[in-house]
Amino acid sequence: MPNHAHVVAEMLPGHRLGDVVRSWKTFSARAANTILGQSGRFWHEDYFDRYVRDDAHLERAIAYTERNPIDAGLIAAVEDWRWSSARFR
């Protein structure tokens, strides 16, 4: 998990997923490179996405995304991940 992000996002009309991901990657790469004292490519060019088909699929996707830091051994409980929506439930 330290080298990628899991996100569940609802796209608004007029916004393309590729453009949003590019914006996230550009911003985060600059910030990470600044912190690390590095320059150049930080992320892989491509990304993986999945279309959510129904409410049950959405619930599974959210649960997977919130549980991922636990599975990666980074936290003990989903609400401990400071960037997770689980903190607000």
Side-chain angles (χ1 to χ4, degrees), residues 24-36 38 40 42-43:
W24 290 343
K25 289 169 86 172
T26 299
F27 178 85
S28 61
R30 286 183 182 146
N33 278 337
T34 297
I35 291 167
L36 297 170
Q38 299 176 350
F42 186 82
W43 297 108

